[in-house]
Amino acid sequence: MVCTSVKEGSDCFFMSKKGCEFNGGSCHAIIEQCGDCQKIKEFPAGKYCTVFPEPEAKWRVRNCNMATHLKGTIKKETGKVNPLKASKRTAH
Ligand code: SF4
């Protein structure tokens, strides 16, 4: 259903005839870590993420998996080599 609160005009899973049913009754604004992520969209109520209703929750434990401004950093973190697979590769 189309949002009529903070992300006015956007199609949203949490919107119902009774209004926004997301935790707290509306989306939460972006946080500092969102930086210049391309998923940010400016609405009359402020800047919000177009993917997640609560950006803070996405950053609580680790980096947001949908962040577009951290591609280089994410690659480094996931670039770990599985020692078992590496030993098999050298055996061939
Ligand atoms: S995708 Fe992640 S980093 Fe980007 S705006 Fe949304 S919560 Fe922030």
Side-chain angles (χ1 to χ4, degrees), residues 30-31 33-35 37-40 48-52 54-56 58-59 64-69:
I30 56 156
I31 59 170
Q33 288 95 319
C34 294
C37 178
Q38 290 174 5
K39 305 285 183 190
I40 297 171
Y48 291 87
C49 175
T50 55
V51 187
F52 301 115
E54 191 179 2
E56 191 187 348
K58 290 303 294 179
W59 286 93
C64 173
N65 61 328
M66 292 293 282
T68 60
H69 60 304

Side-chain angles (χ1 to χ4, degrees), residues 15-53:
M15 201 65 196
S16 74
K17 286 178 184 168
K18 291 183 227 158
C20 179
E21 293 188 337
F22 183 68
N23 181 23
S26 74
C27 285
H28 298 237
I30 56 156
I31 59 170
E32 196 181 329
Q33 288 95 319
C34 294
D36 57 354
C37 178
Q38 290 174 5
K39 305 285 183 190
I40 297 171
K41 191 172 173 188
E42 196 154 358
F43 293 90
K47 290 181 177 179
Y48 291 87
C49 175
T50 55
V51 187
F52 301 115

